[in-house]
Amino acid sequence: MLIQKRDTKKFFEKNLLDFFQKHGRKHLPWRKKNIAAYEVWVSEVMLQQTQVTRVIGYYKKFLKRFPKITDLASISWREFLPYYHGMGYYRRGENMLKTAKIIVTRHKGKFPQTKEGLMSLPGIGEYTASAILSFARDKNYLAFDTNAQRVYGRFFYGSKNASVDR
């Protein structure tokens, strides 16, 4: 039985990597080497409950106007809103602005280096903290989102709603 489980995991891993090589969205503006924590954070916040195709334009426009977290932290909600308007879930935008101000004032413009430090900021949960640490800091954290959970649950448990113990 142990050999069968090991073979199943290898099969899953190989096919998942093959799928990514063939269909992975490597063209996305946030899929690049040496990405800054700020860029990962902006993309992850915008991608929450929003389709990728919709986010691309907002992300590019947003980073053109606010290329650094200090640029974002220096503005008001009124100045922020035109660059976020239409994304919905405005609490995310409010939290972005709050978090930018906290990072600049309390952390000297640098994102915290720990998961706990990141999760102490408004609007940053476990997934976003893991994504920042993994993609921008090259740390060994699993950014396990709802989509990954569905694939994993369907393959190993036969249901997209399976509870997966990470």
Side-chain angles (χ1 to χ4, degrees):
M1 186 70 166
L2 182 60
I3 292 172
Q4 186 178 15
K5 283 184 182 180
R6 187 179 312 129
D7 290 343
T8 301
K9 288 179 185 177
K10 283 182 182 179
F11 176 83
F12 178 78
E13 184 179 283
K14 180 191 179 318
N15 281 279
L16 192 62
L17 290 171
D18 288 348
F19 181 87
F20 179 74
Q21 284 294 72
K22 188 174 181 182
H23 303 288
R25 296 176 175 176
K26 298 172 195 137
H27 67 282
L28 297 173
W30 50 84
R31 292 265 176 99
K32 63 181 188 176
K33 291 183 187 272
N34 302 316
I35 190 167
Y38 174 65
E39 295 170 296
V40 173
W41 171 66
V42 169
S43 72
E44 293 300 337
V45 171
M46 288 185 170
L47 287 164
Q48 292 169 8
Q49 299 183 0
T50 307
Q51 292 179 344
V52 170
T53 54
R54 184 171 175 83
V55 170
I56 294 170
Y58 280 92
Y59 179 81
K60 288 178 178 179
K61 184 172 106 174
F62 191 89
L63 286 180
K64 185 174 183 176
R65 170 60 180 89
F66 310 110
K68 296 182 176 160
I69 197 158
T70 51
D71 300 317
L72 181 57
S74 69
I75 64 164
S76 68
W77 173 252
R78 189 173 177 175
E79 295 167 293
F80 173 89
L81 192 55
Y83 295 89
Y84 191 84
H85 185 73
M87 290 284 294
Y89 302 98
Y90 289 95
R91 167 124 322 165
R92 289 183 300 173
E94 292 168 355
N95 284 334
M96 285 180 81
L97 204 49
K98 286 179 194 174
T99 295
K101 292 175 186 301
I102 291 169
I103 288 173
V104 168
T105 59
R106 295 186 198 162
H107 301 282
K108 300 178 183 175
K110 304 287 183 198
F111 277 77
Q113 297 283 327
T114 66
K115 192 170 186 177
E116 296 76 22
L118 288 166
M119 289 176 62
S120 73
L121 297 166
I124 297 184
E126 186 175 336
Y127 173 80
T128 302
S130 293
I132 292 167
L133 292 168
S134 177
F135 304 138
R137 304 274 191 252
D138 202 28
K139 293 188 178 180
N140 195 19
Y141 282 90
L142 177 62
F144 196 72
D145 70 353
T146 303
N147 297 316
Q149 184 171 346
R150 283 187 187 139
V151 170
Y152 190 86
R154 281 185 180 131
F155 185 83
F156 286 102
Y157 300 101
S159 169
K160 69 178 182 177
N161 299 319
S163 175
V164 179
D165 186 10
R166 298 178 215 181

